[in-house]
Amino acid sequence: MSEQQISARKQGNKLKLPRAVGKGRQVDPKALAEVQALLGDESRQKDLLIEHLHKIQDAYKHISAPHLVALAREMKLSKAEVYEVATFYHHFDVIKENETPPPELTVRVCESLTCDMMGAQDLVSSLENGLGEGVRVQRVPCIGRCDKAPVAVVGMNPIEHADTEKVTQAVNVKAVEPEAITPIEYDTYVQQGGYQTYRSCMDGTLKVDKVLDAMDDSGLRGLGGAGFPAGRKWRIVREQPEPKLMAVNIDEGEPGTFKDKYYLDRDPHCFLEGALIAAWAVGINEIYIYLRDEYAAIRESLEAEIAKLEANPPVENMPTLYLRRGAGAYICGEESAMIESIEGKRGMPRLRPPFVAQVGLFGRPTLEHNMESLYWVRDILEKGPQCLTDHGRNGRVGLRSFSVSGRVNKPGVHLAPAGITMKELIDEYCGGMQDGHEFYGYFPGGASGGILPASMGDIPLDFDTLNEYGCFIGSAAVVVFSDQDKARDLAINAMKFFEDESCGQCTPCRVGTAKAVTLMEKPTWNEDLLEELSDVMIDASICGLGQAAPNPIRSVMKYFPEELK
């Protein structure tokens, strides 16, 4: 018996000896070695948990229980914390004890609004019957390619305008890597005058007050959907104590939205220069870029271009850029949920106040921006605020990047005047309706923006113009449907999406979306009960998901009553 034990016994105390092993599942040496090999020399800091989970998922196509335990040991986190984060995100296949791992290859088929209209359900059925046991077919929510619907993803390779033959061929030839994209590269961007405006900021040619005034004069608002004036946001965060951080939201998970992808496919450095200018104006030294996981090709491109930028920076003391990878959670489009995810946690929205501008990423004042908002900064400073203010219709000012999909001849991203009407957008930019389809209705702001009938296609499309009709433009994700579609069915599709994507933190959203789906799938809608349920979700949900989820319900009851008879 040790002296410590003898002393404790003399004093009548029980000495608590250390356990020989920890509680719960023990670390498997083989799994630990595999995790250590994957992580290499990278930091084990807590906020990299999701990044490291991706490494395991990418390498083994699933995450086993031994790997979870090994990762917890390696990062000095509790097993419970690692497990709850891994199981929160859709893109991590967590395999429990005695469960069979999924097949080596997964084919994901989008079943959100536009893809559903374009035959996604038939495609899923065909693939499930034809691909064989060695391939898993999954139904997934919007993957940001609505203009090329229906879309399937083989491994990480998107198959646009997908059909059974295209997908089967990709599976057979092992075409599973991200597609090739050709954005403007760093050297070309610099040769074309890129980063000169940023240099002018850093060398004092451009003054902060002048830049802030230009942002105010441009009328630029948050283009992720909230529409908060960008110049005012910069001034608010500028007044906060240092150190301050920036978080850039490129999660764009709203069904119908793909504008951020469009710009990043082509000119990522325009966005990066805007981010660096914003960081300079506000006094920020670290920029975190949160990119949705579905954009695998963009992630590879951004990693390469950021490396070139950092290897040959346009100025000294440039802020550090961190690229963080989402993991399939629509809720992380909400700014505080995104910040939680960057910190390596579940993407659960925070209660406010305090606001992100005051207490945001890692507890520091944070400038949060959508990618497209920063994309316009360089043009505003080089061409003047009039590059936006000279445009507009019907009393509105500015330009909007409309992501248009559905029953039109020319779906895609269309840069059009703010205040343009839906009918004008279809006729002037989208080549009219597809043959055999008559304009019947539209989602002006994605799944959460509500639904309007064709008879209301003359309303100016812009921030605040749709509020009185129970709708909003949000990120300008426009989904057009025809007389061959039913608003009721599309509303059910949207509500199922919200049910699947609810983070579960608050009861009104978690339970309300599930109850709504059940009620909406009945042959006859109980409109009084649905209205009461909508009121509760709007009044009591923590964040915009639960607050906006009832919009499709109310729109159908108000504008498409004939479909409920």
Side-chain angles (χ1 to χ4, degrees), residues 162-333:
D163 57 30
T164 304
E165 182 179 355
K166 286 183 179 179
V167 175
T168 302
Q169 182 180 6
V171 169
N172 290 339
V173 300
K174 308 292 185 186
V176 298
E177 297 303 318
E179 85 274 40
I181 60 175
T182 55
I184 296 174
E185 296 184 0
Y186 178 69
D187 290 342
T188 302
Y189 183 79
V190 171
Q191 291 169 7
Q192 295 173 350
Y195 292 108
Q196 187 56 52
T197 301
Y198 178 50
R199 289 192 186 96
S200 297
C201 293
M202 293 292 287
D203 67 17
T205 304
L206 273 175
K207 305 298 183 183
V208 172
D209 288 345
K210 183 177 179 180
V211 169
L212 293 174
D213 288 343
M215 294 297 295
D216 289 334
D217 293 342
S218 72
L220 181 68
R221 298 174 66 170
L223 297 173
F228 192 85
R232 193 191 309 172
K233 182 182 286 189
W234 289 19
R235 292 180 189 274
I236 291 171
V237 181
R238 180 175 169 80
E239 294 172 354
Q240 303 302 314
E242 295 184 350
K244 293 170 279 195
L245 304 172
M246 183 189 298
V248 183
N249 194 335
I250 322 180
D251 195 55
E252 71 170 355
E254 181 72 37
T257 308
F258 46 92
K259 63 181 180 61
D260 292 354
K261 175 186 176 299
Y262 174 86
Y263 289 117
L264 287 174
D265 275 347
R266 291 156 177 79
D267 195 357
H269 287 284
C270 186
F271 145 66
L272 290 171
E273 183 170 6
L276 291 170
I277 291 169
W280 161 80
V282 175
I284 288 169
N285 292 317
E286 294 184 0
I287 301 172
Y288 288 79
I289 301 169
Y290 189 83
L291 178 69
R292 72 177 306 191
D293 194 32
E294 288 85 349
Y295 294 166
I298 291 175
R299 184 174 65 253
E300 291 187 355
S301 169
L302 268 179
E303 286 174 346
E305 295 307 311
I306 289 173
K308 294 174 187 176
L309 173 62
E310 292 178 333
N312 186 22
V315 299
E316 295 181 357
N317 301 318
M318 191 181 74
T320 305
L321 295 160
Y322 300 97
L323 181 60
R324 292 296 174 86
R325 181 177 173 183
Y330 166 74
I331 192 64
C332 290

Side-chain angles (χ1 to χ4, degrees), residues 256-491:
T257 308
F258 46 92
K259 63 181 180 61
D260 292 354
K261 175 186 176 299
Y262 174 86
Y263 289 117
L264 287 174
D265 275 347
R266 291 156 177 79
D267 195 357
H269 287 284
C270 186
F271 145 66
L272 290 171
E273 183 170 6
L276 291 170
I277 291 169
W280 161 80
V282 175
I284 288 169
N285 292 317
E286 294 184 0
I287 301 172
Y288 288 79
I289 301 169
Y290 189 83
L291 178 69
R292 72 177 306 191
D293 194 32
E294 288 85 349
Y295 294 166
I298 291 175
R299 184 174 65 253
E300 291 187 355
S301 169
L302 268 179
E303 286 174 346
E305 295 307 311
I306 289 173
K308 294 174 187 176
L309 173 62
E310 292 178 333
N312 186 22
V315 299
E316 295 181 357
N317 301 318
M318 191 181 74
T320 305
L321 295 160
Y322 300 97
L323 181 60
R324 292 296 174 86
R325 181 177 173 183
Y330 166 74
I331 192 64
C332 290
E334 196 275 339
E335 61 177 7
S336 65
M338 175 192 67
I339 284 172
E340 290 285 299
S341 189
I342 293 174
E343 292 179 355
K345 306 171 187 173
R346 295 176 294 168
M348 309 283 268
R350 297 176 180 177
L351 292 172
R352 284 168 281 193
F355 295 97
V356 165
Q358 301 164 314
V359 182
L361 186 58
F362 305 121
R364 303 307 309 166
T366 302
L367 178 66
E368 189 276 342
H369 259 313
N370 170 254
M371 189 288 302
E372 194 201 348
S373 303
L374 296 167
Y375 185 88
W376 290 106
V377 170
R378 187 196 67 184
D379 278 359
I380 291 170
L381 298 181
E382 291 182 358
K383 302 175 183 178
Q386 61 270 19
C387 72
L388 297 183
T389 58
D390 282 353
H391 303 274
R393 290 188 189 179
N394 299 306
R396 310 300 296 185
V397 176
L399 290 168
R400 296 287 174 267
S401 300
F402 291 95
S403 303
V404 185
S405 63
R407 306 293 190 180
V408 295
N409 284 317
K410 294 180 180 178
V413 174
H414 298 290
L415 187 62
I420 193 172
T421 69
M422 190 66 248
K423 291 179 180 178
E424 292 170 340
L425 188 62
I426 292 173
D427 293 340
E428 298 177 29
Y429 290 83
C430 302
M433 297 293 291
Q434 294 177 350
D435 290 344
H437 291 269
E438 182 179 339
F439 180 35
Y440 179 50
Y442 62 107
F443 289 75
S448 60
I451 315 173
L452 292 171
S455 60
M456 299 175 69
D458 293 318
I459 303 170
L461 297 175
D462 198 11
F463 295 114
D464 312 321
T465 60
L466 302 172
N467 294 358
E468 62 181 296
Y469 308 105
C471 298
F472 56 78
I473 190 174
S475 58
V478 177
V479 181
V480 182
F481 57 97
S482 76
D483 55 344
Q484 297 187 26
D485 306 300
K486 288 186 176 296
R488 170 186 174 141
D489 293 341
L490 294 171

Side-chain angles (χ1 to χ4, degrees), residues 27-93:
V27 177
D28 177 80
K30 180 175 180 292
L32 181 60
E34 291 170 342
V35 167
Q36 290 172 337
L38 287 173
L39 271 55
D41 296 331
E42 292 192 37
S43 170
R44 270 62 167 170
Q45 64 198 56
K46 181 178 179 180
D47 57 285
L48 291 176
L49 173 57
I50 294 172
E51 297 295 307
H52 294 338
L53 285 168
H54 274 301
K55 292 180 176 66
I56 299 173
Q57 177 72 39
D58 290 346
Y60 296 98
K61 311 307 177 187
H62 66 278
I63 302 176
S64 67
H67 281 141
L68 280 178
V69 175
L71 183 61
R73 166 68 70 84
E74 191 66 12
M75 297 187 71
K76 295 181 172 59
L77 299 172
S78 72
K79 303 180 190 73
E81 183 174 3
V82 174
Y83 178 82
E84 71 176 8
V85 170
T87 54
F88 180 85
Y89 295 94
H90 298 314
H91 290 182
F92 296 138
D93 289 314

